[in-house]
Amino acid sequence: MTTTEPEAIDAPVFDGDPFSMEALADPIGFDGRVRELGPVVYIEKYDYYAVTQWDEIQKSLRDWRRVSSSDRPFYEPNPYRPTVLVLEDPPSHTKNKAAAMAVLSGENLAKFEEYFAAEAKRLVTEILANGPVELDAFHDLSVKYVLKVFPDMLGLPEEGRDLLLKFGDGVFNVFGPDTEFQRQKLAGAAPAQDWVERNTYREVQKEGTVGWQLYELADAGKLPEEDARQVLKSIFGAGFDTTTASIASMIRALADHPAEWAKLKANPELVDNTWEESIRYYPASRFGGRWAKDDLVVGGTKIPAGSKMLMMWLGSGRDHRKYDNPDTYLVDRDLTGGHLSFGFGIHTCAGNLVARLEARTLLKELVKQVDTIELTGEPRQAMNYQAFGHEYVPVRLTPKA
């Protein structure tokens, strides 16, 4: 007896607006509802295909020769959009990613770890010096920490560092429709964009820093000088907004789930898994873009050649086909199969090792020094086309006796 593959079907059509204020206010709920329409959904308003379910996203990302990164929905030239890494395919992507990994891993990462740990200890000790304290875990903890350690790593001047958050906000609002919301976001980020441009040129890089090392690679013929500047700009764009927001989201998740915080305190070896569960539960990026170079069948659904595509990271983190009880936060969840919150395959986020190191190092220090984390008000999610996170997380930290 022979069996035949079922015939591929056309994608279900969704006539709503994933970039409406309603959707941006509740992207987890909105993207979850779209996910349940099918593994691939045609977004009629903007003429693109959303790949919504975990398995089909991963399979698509493996197929980088046909599912290309060089184009995507809302792909218009913009000064906030770096021209390398995210929007490249091999061979140029291979060369530029190798350069990024060379300066964000290995010996550099070991140096970062020692410095990050010292700064995390200093900051948490300072915060808890006078006993229980109420603060905003986004601005007073996550931002204060990340805007110290990461710019130091890059050799950036002290003055103007706060602009990096505005720059990240601009970067992650580029990929979406031209609306008054987007125009306001980009206008607010304009001074930051100017600051970043000035600080990515060769002449301002301090010896030994990440930027200096990238230009050294250019001098060694491993990448063109302009690509070195664009790789550095990509690091600027991806290294602040999502990291600060995701650390704050992690603290919000722990405050919302005191039993999980108690479990973590009793088993500090769960720190790494806690971070991975947090970034699954609250991914820092809502989606990534691709385009179909050939006719495709994804999850039994047809995607015509030339179609623009979005890979829906945020929805994939709550896909019940992949995770048991996906809306439940568990610091000891079995994450053997991983998550897609940093992407997958050749386009896995180049800065993921640094982001993981920053978050885990700060969390280790909190586990050492903090007894309880309690919400004192209603957290506020940031409104953003592509990034996801919390911009306000009011908590009370009580130190250990």
Side-chain angles (χ1 to χ4, degrees), residues 81 101 113 206 213 253 255 260 268 397:
R81 192 198 72 199
M101 294 304 297
E113 183 172 12
K206 297 178 182 177
Q213 291 177 42
E260 296 305 301
L397 304 181

Side-chain angles (χ1 to χ4, degrees), residues 230-291:
Q230 290 296 326
V231 169
L232 184 56
K233 188 176 178 181
S234 295
I235 292 170
F236 279 34
F240 297 95
D241 193 75
T242 52
T243 307
T244 53
S246 60
I247 289 175
S249 294
M250 174 178 67
I251 296 170
R252 189 257 167 95
L254 291 166
D256 275 338
H257 300 86
E260 296 305 301
W261 173 247
K263 191 186 296 181
L264 175 59
K265 284 193 303 173
N267 300 278
E269 67 273 13
L270 289 173
V271 161
D272 289 1
N273 203 75
T274 297
W275 162 248
E276 299 301 329
E277 170 69 349
S278 298
I279 200 76
R280 174 201 73 83
Y281 192 74
Y282 285 137
S285 181
R286 187 182 178 193
F287 57 77
R290 300 291 191 273
W291 72 284

Side-chain angles (χ1 to χ4, degrees), residues 39-60:
V40 177
V41 178
Y42 178 65
I43 308 300
E44 187 174 42
K45 183 177 178 67
Y46 300 112
D47 187 27
Y48 71 80
Y49 288 80
V51 186
T52 66
Q53 297 173 7
W54 201 99
D55 282 345
E56 305 313 327
I57 294 174
Q58 188 190 59
K59 290 173 185 174
S60 297

Side-chain angles (χ1 to χ4, degrees), residues 19 48-51 73-74 287-290 308-312:
F19 295 92
Y48 71 80
Y49 288 80
V51 186
F74 314 109
F287 57 77
R290 300 291 191 273
K308 307 290 182 67
M309 306 164 66
L310 287 186
M311 306 292 165
M312 305 306 294

Side-chain angles (χ1 to χ4, degrees), residues 116-148:
F116 291 177
E119 285 300 313
K121 181 177 181 179
R122 181 195 61 77
L123 176 59
V124 176
T125 301
E126 178 184 284
I127 286 172
L128 298 174
N130 297 315
V133 60
E134 294 187 8
L135 51 77
D136 171 11
F138 177 66
H139 285 98
D140 302 328
L141 187 57
S142 181
V143 169
K144 198 167 185 179
Y145 172 65
V146 174
L147 284 192
K148 169 63 177 168

Side-chain angles (χ1 to χ4, degrees), residues 137-199:
F138 177 66
H139 285 98
D140 302 328
L141 187 57
S142 181
V143 169
K144 198 167 185 179
Y145 172 65
V146 174
L147 284 192
K148 169 63 177 168
V149 298
F150 199 53
D152 281 358
M153 180 184 85
L154 294 174
L156 295 173
E158 293 282 346
E159 185 178 357
R161 288 184 178 191
D162 58 310
L163 291 171
L164 287 165
L165 292 178
K166 287 286 188 182
F167 179 69
D169 200 35
V171 168
F172 286 99
N173 278 294
V174 166
F175 291 112
D178 179 6
T179 62
E180 182 59 28
F181 171 81
Q182 186 190 62
R183 289 190 289 271
Q184 287 181 2
K185 287 282 191 177
L186 298 186
Q193 200 270 333
D194 292 340
W195 187 88
V196 165
E197 291 289 344
R198 292 197 305 271
N199 281 284

